[in-house]
Amino acid sequence: MGHGRQIDGLTCAGAVVDKSMLKVVETMREVQPLIPRPWNRERFVAAVGDYRGRTIRLTAMDSPVLRGSPCGVWLVFEEYDQIIYDANTSDYHADQTILHEVGHMVLDHHSCGGVNASLAKLFPDVDIAAAKSVMARSRFEDPQEIEAETFADMLMASAVSRFRKSGSMDDLWG
């Protein structure tokens, strides 16, 4: 036997894997078939919307609150979900931000607070009052944020990164 450790069916070579990371890995495996080859952000988000049974709208916004920020916002409305991200960032960073918010969705995360009326001033083109909930990053060390960022990192490595056509990535993700 090697030096690996068996944790909930996953053998890891010296790594500590907790239930949170197992949840991320399992969810990533479920979502993996939805990734279009070659990568296409809009097709992926549409496929995730179909998978969840809820339309997801992407909104690139030029907002001072998003400018230079590593974060996006996920708004839950009665009929659909909306992801708002910085319109003035690179495609790569936009993908990372969007995949982070998608991570919250597929990992079944929930906002800890209600809809903040001050968001209406930050996003004047969005009907914030109609939103049922808002997921916006408040603390980087929050467990839901860590899960969503790990999910986004894994998906970026699998589908979006410059290594996406490498044999080693195909070997890793199938």
Side-chain angles (χ1 to χ4, degrees), residues 25-174:
V25 169
E26 287 228 350
T27 303
M28 183 63 193
R29 285 182 182 149
E30 289 175 20
V31 172
Q32 189 72 30
L34 306 177
I35 299 171
R37 308 274 184 199
W39 171 251
N40 180 291
R41 174 192 308 157
E42 288 77 18
R43 283 186 27 226
F44 175 71
V45 169
V48 171
D50 290 345
Y51 170 79
R52 294 179 62 239
R54 289 184 54 82
T55 299
I56 302 169
R57 296 181 183 172
L58 297 178
T59 304
M61 191 169 289
D62 183 11
S63 170
V65 74
L66 295 174
R67 200 167 298 127
S69 169
C71 308
V73 178
W74 168 30
L75 297 159
V76 178
F77 293 92
E78 189 69 38
E79 302 288 324
Y80 62 93
D81 293 307
Q82 183 173 14
I83 296 174
I84 300 174
Y85 63 98
D86 184 8
N88 298 307
T89 193
S90 68
D91 281 340
Y92 189 86
H93 183 250
D95 284 337
Q96 178 76 23
T97 301
I98 291 164
L99 296 178
H100 176 97
E101 301 307 330
V102 166
H104 283 305
M105 293 175 187
V106 297
L107 291 162
D108 200 29
H109 291 167
H110 300 283
S111 172
C112 296
V115 177
N116 186 334
S118 66
L119 286 175
K121 293 178 184 173
L122 299 174
F123 305 115
D125 297 334
V126 178
D127 186 7
I128 298 293
K132 293 170 38 180
S133 73
V134 176
M135 177 72 92
R137 191 176 302 203
S138 58
R139 293 181 14 244
F140 285 100
E141 68 277 1
D142 180 272
Q144 290 187 136
E145 294 301 330
I146 293 168
E147 286 181 358
E149 195 63 19
T150 302
F151 173 87
D153 289 347
M154 289 172 63
L155 206 140
M156 289 288 287
S158 173
V160 183
S161 79
R162 59 191 171 103
F163 302 108
R164 68 183 168 270
K165 294 185 182 198
S166 74
S168 60
M169 289 309 290
D170 288 341
D171 290 346
L172 177 63
W173 294 112

